[in-house]
Amino acid sequence: AGLIHLISNMLMFLIFGGALELLFGSASLLLVYVLGGISGALAFLTIGGDSTVPMVGASASLSAVMAFY
């Protein structure tokens, strides 16, 4: 993941996160974001637990926010 990936994640979070925060509040947005990250981490460990590639990033959290939208 490079700079474009980071920028697109931030842009999508700004768009979807801002709308969800207005609709449901900061606490709900935080809960969805954190639970999405934990779920993504568990899925990564389950599927690719023996991988030598490090797990870095917030794409699972952002995917959860977009799905909640």
Side-chain angles (χ1 to χ4, degrees):
L3 185 60
I4 293 175
H5 182 88
L6 176 65
I7 291 171
S8 64
N9 272 358
M10 298 282 49
L11 181 61
M12 290 299 116
F13 186 69
L14 178 68
I15 293 168
F16 291 99
L20 287 174
E21 186 178 17
L22 288 175
L23 290 172
F24 299 105
S26 300
S28 295
L29 179 61
L30 178 63
L31 182 66
V32 168
Y33 189 82
V34 169
L35 289 178
I38 291 170
S39 299
L42 290 174
F44 177 83
L45 291 173
T46 301
I47 295 168
D50 59 346
S51 175
T52 59
V53 177
M55 179 182 58
V56 178
S59 293
S61 297
L62 179 59
S63 295
V65 168
M66 291 172 66
F68 190 63
Y69 184 77

